[in-house]
Structure formats: C-alpha cells, structure tokens
C-alpha cells in the first residue's frame, strides 16, 4: 500500500496524546494516525491485517500448551516458544515474520535453537533436511511455479512462506500457519525421540496438506 506525504493542521494537545499512545503501542505518530483513520473508514491496512493474523494464531495455539506465543501490536514479527522432549529441556523458538508488501512471498518462518549437544544438532539438521525433501517433492509442484527458499545457519533454520494461490482471510492464513507450525513442532519432537521415521513424516505432512484450504 503506497504512502504519500500529507500536511495536516492538528491541535497540539491532540498531537501530544497521539504521541503518548503511539509510544505505548510501540509505533510512531504517522502510523498510529494512519491506523486510526483506516479504522474510521473501515479500511484494512497491511498493519491491521498482520496484527489480526497474529492475534488469531495466538488464540489457535494456546489450547495445545505446546507453544507459548509472544507478539506486540504494530509488529511484523511474532514468536512462539517450545520445549523439546530432550534432556535439559532445550527450547526452540519459532519466529513468524509477515511482510507489509508481499511480492515473491508473504514472509518467512525461522526455527531458532540453542544447544551445545552435537548429537541434538545432528538430529535436528537431519529433520530439517527431511522436511525440505518432503516439501520439494509434495508441496513445490502445487505452488504454481513459486519457489520456497530454505536456509540452514548455525542454530537457525529459515523457510520462506509462499504466496497463497487464492484469496484468503486473515483467519484462513492464521489457521494454515498455526497448523503448519504445530505439525512441524510435534513431528520434530517425535523424530528427535525416535517415535517417527522419515516415511512417517512424509505421510503426516501429506495428511496436513489434504486438510488445508490454502498452501503456503
């Protein structure tokens, strides 16, 4: 959504209160006024859509108690923390970033882990590679020519989020994102504990795809 510079005459008292609220909400004067005016004329801005998606994800994952969500209004990133079923209970953090102006993709998902265990790092790396292999084979052909970018760094796995192939609501997108993260989290934990194999992961991933209205 293109932004243009406009000059407005505002009361100093109004500006003071706007600035106080903007600071409290973690945004700036221009963004807050833009949001207020958009809500007044019943227009959905990218910021409001992202906030609605994150709010819906929070409500969807809370009942499972496996993921603890954190996000602040007016922020393009939310995080979800999970504890691995492994000695010392290391944590994994999922970060979902949604782009204000989506083009090739609508955002990216990062899986961040911190551990000194070489065995755990190796097992998680194996899982990430299996996951990518499954998506390359089962998901990529259905994305209409879109490509999903993957990267694996020291303690971080990153995957781009594909542009949906059809129109979807904020609730639709929140649902598919929360299902994806919860499935990824549960299968990763099961793989690390030896409860599932690579073929089990592929089968359950295929089941997930068949239940989704949209693919990302």
């Amino acid at each position: 959504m293109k932004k243009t510079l406009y000059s407005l005459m505002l009361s100093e008292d109004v500006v003071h209160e706007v600035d106080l609220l903007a600071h409290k909400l973690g945004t700036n004067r221009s963004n807050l006024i833009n949001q207020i005016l958009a809500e007044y004329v019943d227009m959905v801005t990218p910021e409001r859509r992202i906030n609605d998606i994150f709010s819906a994800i929070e409500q969807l994952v809370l009942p499972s108690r496996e993921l603890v969500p954190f996000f602040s209004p007016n922020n393009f990133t939310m995080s979800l923390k999970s504890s691995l079923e492994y000695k010392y209970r290391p944590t994994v953090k999922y970060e979902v970033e949604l782009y204000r102006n989506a083009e090739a993709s609508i955002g990216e998902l990062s899986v961040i882990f911190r551990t000194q265990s070489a065995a755990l790092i190796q097992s998680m790396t194996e899982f990430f590679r299996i996951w990518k292999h499954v998506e390359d084979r089962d998901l990529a052909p259905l994305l209409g020519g879109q490509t999903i970018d993957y990267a694996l760094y020291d303690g971080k796995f990153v995957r781009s989020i594909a542009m949906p192939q059809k129109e979807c609501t904020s609730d639709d997108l929140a649902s598919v994102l929360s299902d994806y993260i919860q499935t990824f989290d549960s299968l990763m934990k099961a793989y690390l504990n030896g409860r599932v194999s690579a073929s089990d992961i592929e089968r359950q991933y295929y089941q997930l795809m068949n239940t989704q209205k949209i693919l990302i």
Side-chain angles (χ1 to χ4, degrees):
M1 187 179 293
K2 182 181 177 182
K3 289 191 174 182
T4 305
L5 178 65
Y6 294 96
S7 178
L8 297 174
M9 298 292 292
L10 301 173
S11 163
E12 289 186 2
D13 292 338
V14 170
V15 172
H16 176 71
E17 293 300 321
V18 167
D19 287 345
L20 288 177
L21 182 57
H23 178 73
K24 181 179 179 181
L25 295 175
T27 186
N28 57 49
R29 179 192 300 168
S30 295
N31 282 337
L32 180 57
I33 291 175
N34 189 72
Q35 290 178 44
I36 292 171
L37 293 176
E39 290 177 6
Y40 187 81
V41 299
D42 198 26
M43 180 179 183
V44 178
T45 63
E47 292 84 357
R48 179 179 171 185
R49 177 172 167 82
I50 291 172
N51 189 75
D52 290 346
I53 292 169
F54 288 164
S55 296
I57 291 175
E58 180 181 44
Q59 296 305 311
L60 288 167
V61 303
L62 278 175
S64 74
R65 304 183 69 178
E66 290 291 326
L67 294 163
V68 181
F70 300 93
F71 87 98
S72 301
N74 308 303
N75 199 318
F76 295 157
T77 303
M78 81 173 297
S79 63
L80 304 100
K81 188 169 69 173
S82 177
S83 296
L84 296 180
E85 300 167 4
Y86 201 82
K87 57 185 177 181
Y88 311 123
R89 302 290 290 181
T91 59
V92 171
K93 182 170 70 171
Y94 299 93
E95 284 190 351
V96 183
E97 178 183 1
L98 296 179
Y99 302 147
R100 186 181 181 279
N101 297 309
E103 295 180 1
S105 66
I106 63 171
E108 69 176 29
L109 170 66
S110 299
V111 185
I112 303 167
F113 55 98
R114 295 288 181 266
T115 178
Q116 299 299 316
S117 170
L120 179 57
I121 292 172
Q122 180 179 350
S123 295
M124 293 184 75
T125 301
E126 289 173 357
F127 175 80
F128 298 148
R129 288 173 176 165
I130 292 169
W131 191 266
K132 179 183 183 302
H133 172 75
V134 170
E135 292 202 320
D136 284 344
R137 188 167 69 177
D138 296 341
L139 176 62
L142 304 178
L143 293 179
Q146 288 191 76
T147 58
I148 297 178
D149 297 321
Y150 300 87
L152 180 58
Y153 306 104
D154 183 19
K156 186 176 183 180
F157 174 70
V158 182
R159 176 207 190 270
S160 63
I161 302 172
M163 184 78 68
Q165 296 295 291
K166 59 182 180 180
E167 290 293 325
C168 59
T169 66
S170 297
D171 286 342
D172 290 336
L173 197 50
S175 177
V176 72
L177 283 168
S178 62
D179 286 348
Y180 184 93
I181 295 169
Q182 288 182 94
T183 300
F184 185 102
D185 186 66
S186 64
L187 286 176
M188 181 174 66
K189 291 175 180 176
Y191 181 79
L192 296 178
N193 282 342
R195 297 198 302 269
V196 299
S197 64
S199 58
D200 295 326
I201 293 170
E202 181 171 4
R203 184 175 64 256
Q204 293 192 44
Y205 184 89
Y206 188 75
Q207 292 174 354
L208 171 68
M209 287 179 53
N210 287 336
T211 63
Q212 298 302 326
K213 296 179 181 178
I214 57 176
L215 299 175
I216 56 167

